[in-house]
Amino acid sequence: MPPFGGEGVNAALLDAACLAQRLVESADYSATLRAFEADMFERVEEMARESADAAATFLSHDSLAETLAMYRQRQERMQAAELGLR
């Protein structure tokens, strides 16, 4: 996961704890690992996509304009939410 969302280490620590717990509870390691991976990918999919989008924005050839547009959109959404329009 690109380091643009601040979620990578948190996700990795939770992954380690969840996997360890599942391995302690089951003797079928192959099935346990497949089930864990399915749950893990579902849980981190949105975070990973947002992080990749942020990386693409911040590292693009037009990063200043794209970053400013992203922050303006975020500000508009927050203001609309505050006004109860969303």
Side-chain angles (χ1 to χ4, degrees):
M1 185 177 309
F4 286 91
E7 297 290 342
V9 172
N10 296 332
L13 289 171
L14 181 58
D15 291 345
C18 290
L19 179 57
Q21 182 66 39
R22 286 179 180 215
L23 290 172
V24 166
E25 294 173 350
S26 176
D28 186 350
Y29 297 133
S30 293
T32 298
L33 186 57
R34 283 191 301 274
F36 163 76
E37 285 181 339
D39 291 344
M40 176 196 63
F41 286 123
E42 184 177 323
R43 180 171 40 81
V44 300
E45 180 181 7
E46 183 177 352
M47 284 185 274
R49 185 175 39 255
E50 289 175 358
S51 185
D53 289 347
T57 297
F58 291 128
L59 299 175
S60 76
H61 68 284
D62 197 17
S63 64
L64 292 177
E66 290 185 28
T67 301
L68 182 58
M70 179 186 69
Y71 283 125
R72 285 184 174 153
Q73 287 177 338
R74 181 172 288 167
Q75 182 180 27
E76 289 170 5
R77 286 194 306 266
M78 289 173 62
Q79 289 173 341
E82 288 174 3
L83 296 174
L85 298 176
R86 194 161 187 230

